[in-house]
Amino acid sequence: MGSLNTQEPETGFPTSIKPFEPEEFRRHAHLVIDFIVDYYKNIENYPVRSQVEPGYLWKRVPDSAPNGPEPMEDILRDVRNDIVPGLTHWQSPNFFGYFPSNMSTAGFLGEMLCTAFNTPGFNWITSPASTELENIVMDWIGKMLQLPHEFLFSGGGGGVIQGTTCEAILCTVVAARDRMLQKIGLENITKLVVYASDQTHSAFQKASQIAGIRRENFRAVGTTARNAFSMTPDGLRAAIEADVKAGLVPLFLSPTVGTTSSTAVDPLGPLCDVAKEYGMWVHVDAAYAGSACICPEFRHFLDGVEKTDSFSFNPHKWFFTTMDSCCLWVKDPGSLNDALSTNPEYLKNKASELKCVVDYKDWQICLNRRFRSLKLWLVLRTYGVANMQNFLRRHVGMAKEFECFVRKDTRFEVVVPRNFSTIVFRVSPVGTYPDSTRVFGDQGANELTAKLLESVNESGKVFMTHAVVGGVYVIRVAVGATLTEDRHVNLAWDVVQEHASQMLLTLT
């Protein structure tokens, strides 16, 4: 027999290079961890919002992949020089935009273990620990939120960790759709109508469209400042009655606890009372604010959840768990299974056939799934419930501080009452200054608020985002980054004041 070649004839690179070698992994991992630690130690020094122009990276990297291996040191150098400048630094303590996407040491380590095991846990037999830990963690968190017993595995319901809210809503809409069509016939799918408020996240409309609900059958119930932009039972009833009169079929309601624009809270109990008269599925979206509801002082925002069919929130927003992670609970797992299950021969096994285990492939859109519960398990065990509650309270306290700053400055006004850790404010249409009172009107205030926000963000010192509620352009300050301290909130207000003073000075 001839000897085994040790060189590839065309490239000359040794064939002994392996995709995974333990000691090489150890060395590279140390380099990456050191890079990450240094990044976080210096994160305050970066402009929060990326300052690059569109297409910048195409000018910095080669137009084809390398033919041979490159040293990790060189790769990390390019990450530092080319990638980092193109990041908006969501983990910066001066990031106040959108909603938080926070993290923690435990979240990082859980992600590392999840990646290390790399288990595709689509059914129980593929990795029993992956499924059973998820069952347990979902019951743990359900108890922390004081969800009704019917939502827990121990009460006949159960929970699953999806990737995003859109996935969670899509699964429940599909389950509700199939359950309704069994009663009224498949040919009537075009009659199904879904309901939410005009403040509901666009994920609901997207999920509904994917599920086959006609675009014209999506109802956005109007809200007003008079009700702090929450959906009213009377508004919902009027929309439903009009649809029923037109021969349509009410299917699904999605109230929100903590809307994206202003963190408004829809009254769950009264809305459910209306929806249940028409046999509708009710799903609660608490993507952002659900985290805070583990604190007793915020739990009242979930009053009425016992009347709903499903509930979800995103730990990857404000629960110190890295992306991606969306916890979904349902009272009737069978509805999900009926709508989403498949059972090809190559996935059959004794445990599944005996129906004594959970196969999460039948609770979600995709077949495959990550070991996400490992991250949550580490977070909960590393910090404990009491510390998690205090982390959240700390953010709410800093938000209250910022709100006080706004209320004391007569050039601004708080537009919507603060519920959690997000403040919504604008330049006042009738601002009072040391030397005068200036009347801008709503349109003028909208324009000035937009101009102020862009000026603040261009500074790179902080990052905030906007919304439009009731025709009013507002600046949103969402406190929730893991590293944020009081001094960062004070800096944010100083930046707002500085840029407002400069801007308003030019109007004199």
Side-chain angles (χ1 to χ4, degrees):
M1 294 179 61
S3 62
L4 185 67
N5 289 331
T6 58
Q7 300 287 321
E8 293 184 9
E10 294 183 4
T11 65
F13 294 121
T15 57
S16 58
I17 291 179
K18 302 175 182 178
F20 184 84
E21 196 283 317
E23 290 308 314
E24 186 72 358
F25 171 70
R26 189 193 306 275
R27 187 181 76 82
H28 285 176
H30 278 296
L31 291 172
V32 172
I33 291 295
D34 285 343
F35 179 93
I36 293 171
V37 172
D38 289 341
Y39 168 73
Y40 275 98
K41 288 173 66 176
N42 295 290
I43 196 169
E44 287 188 63
N45 298 326
Y46 297 113
V48 186
R49 190 181 74 176
S50 175
Q51 306 293 301
V52 302
E53 297 294 329
Y56 91 100
L57 195 56
W58 288 91
K59 302 172 184 177
R60 296 194 183 198
V61 301
D63 60 3
S64 59
N67 202 36
E70 296 182 357
M72 181 58 65
E73 292 85 350
D74 290 355
I75 297 171
L76 290 177
R77 178 202 62 211
D78 291 343
V79 172
R80 181 181 299 106
N81 296 337
D82 298 334
I83 303 301
V84 170
L87 299 177
T88 290
H89 300 281
W90 284 67
Q91 306 311 321
S92 169
N94 297 311
F95 184 97
F96 300 100
Y98 305 108
F99 280 136
S101 178
N102 62 23
M103 54 80 196
S104 63
T105 299
F108 265 122
L109 297 178
E111 186 67 58
M112 290 171 65
L113 286 173
C114 173
T115 302
F117 295 138
N118 202 30
T119 58
F122 46 83
N123 60 13
W124 180 87
I125 199 68
T126 57
S127 279
S130 176
T131 294
E132 295 191 14
L133 185 63
E134 189 161 336
N135 298 166
I136 292 166
V137 166
M138 290 301 291
D139 266 19
W140 278 11
I141 301 175
K143 292 174 182 177
M144 291 166 63
L145 290 165
Q146 299 179 52
L147 293 182
H149 189 57
E150 294 88 344
F151 275 119
L152 309 182
F153 282 104
S154 54
V160 55
I161 305 177
Q162 306 276 358
T164 65
T165 296
C166 189
E167 294 173 49
I169 295 177
L170 176 55
C171 290
T172 54
V173 170
V174 168
R177 178 200 67 190
D178 285 9
R179 188 173 71 178
M180 181 64 74
L181 291 179
Q182 287 179 2
K183 299 177 182 178
I184 66 174
L186 297 176
E187 69 278 7
N188 290 308
I189 187 172
T190 58
K191 295 182 179 180
L192 300 179
V193 187
V194 298
Y195 302 81
S197 87
D198 59 5
Q199 302 298 307
T200 299
H201 195 280
S202 59
F204 179 45
Q205 185 169 6
K206 183 173 184 177
S208 299
Q209 291 170 193
I210 295 172
I213 306 301
R214 300 172 68 188
R215 289 175 183 265
E216 56 267 37
N217 286 6
F218 180 89
R219 300 287 177 265
V221 180
T223 61
T224 65
R226 184 173 60 254
N227 295 301
F229 297 101
S230 65
M231 181 166 37
T232 65
D234 287 344
L236 174 64
R237 183 181 293 280
I240 293 175
E241 288 179 350
D243 287 329
V244 171
K245 186 176 181 180
L248 300 176
V249 179
L251 172 70
F252 194 98
L253 170 67
S254 182
T256 305
V257 175
T259 60
T260 300
S261 295
S262 66
T263 70
V265 176
D266 294 330
L268 302 185
L271 291 172
C272 284
D273 290 341
V274 175
K276 292 305 178 181
E277 291 180 28
Y278 298 90
M280 298 167 64
W281 184 298
V282 181
H283 171 81
V284 180
D285 173 14
Y288 154 71
S291 297
C293 295
I294 68 168
C295 301
E297 62 269 34
F298 296 114
R299 175 56 180 76
H300 67 93
F301 288 115
L302 298 186
D303 287 353
V305 71
E306 67 277 2
K307 300 178 182 181
T308 69
D309 298 279
S310 53
F311 173 90
S312 66
F313 89 104
N314 291 0
H316 65 231
K317 279 188 168 63
W318 196 22
F319 209 65
F320 309 93
T321 304
T322 54
M323 290 185 69
D324 52 2
S325 177
C326 173
C327 292
L328 166 67
W329 288 267
V330 292
K331 284 183 178 176
D332 179 16
S335 294
L336 283 184
N337 293 169
D338 291 344
L340 302 171
S341 65
T342 55
N343 193 30
E345 183 63 35
Y346 48 79
L347 294 183
K348 291 181 179 179
N349 63 87
K350 185 176 180 180
S352 297
E353 290 173 1
L354 290 174
K355 299 187 182 301
C356 61
V357 297
V358 172
D359 285 341
Y360 274 125
K361 68 179 178 62
D362 300 328
W363 293 55
Q364 61 180 30
I365 303 301
C366 303
L367 171 67
N368 226 328
R369 63 199 327 273
R370 303 175 68 238
F371 196 172
R372 297 186 184 104
S373 61
L374 202 54
K375 295 186 292 184
L376 279 163
W377 191 54
L378 258 72
V379 167
L380 294 173
R381 292 193 61 191
T382 300
Y383 305 120
V385 176
N387 278 320
M388 294 288 287
Q389 292 169 331
N390 288 333
F391 294 158
L392 296 162
R393 289 174 178 136
R394 176 79 172 139
H395 286 150
V396 173
M398 288 187 279
K400 286 181 180 178
E401 184 179 11
F402 192 96
E403 182 184 29
C404 287
F405 294 154
V406 175
R407 292 189 181 280
K408 289 177 181 178
D409 191 323
T410 54
R411 298 174 298 175
F412 301 98
E413 67 175 7
V414 174
V415 177
V416 184
R418 180 197 51 76
N419 286 322
F420 304 100
S421 68
T422 299
I423 307 94
V424 178
F425 73 104
R426 68 163 170 169
V427 174
S428 175
V430 184
T432 304
Y433 301 82
D435 57 342
S436 66
T437 296
R438 302 179 192 172
V439 179
F440 302 118
D442 283 330
Q443 183 58 35
N446 284 351
E447 294 171 359
L448 289 172
T449 303
K451 184 178 179 181
L452 173 61
L453 176 61
E454 184 56 28
S455 178
V456 166
N457 285 339
E458 282 182 347
S459 74
K461 295 179 181 178
V462 298
F463 181 69
M464 303 169 181
T465 50
H466 80 283
V468 176
V469 289
V472 175
Y473 187 104
V474 298
I475 297 174
R476 301 170 63 264
V477 175
V479 181
T482 305
L483 300 176
T484 299
E485 300 174 358
D486 288 288
R487 62 186 177 91
H488 301 110
V489 173
N490 293 335
L491 170 66
W493 179 241
D494 289 344
V495 172
V496 169
Q497 285 189 306
E498 174 190 347
H499 286 260
S501 296
Q502 293 173 356
M503 179 185 72
L504 296 172
L505 185 63
T506 64
L507 300 177
T508 59

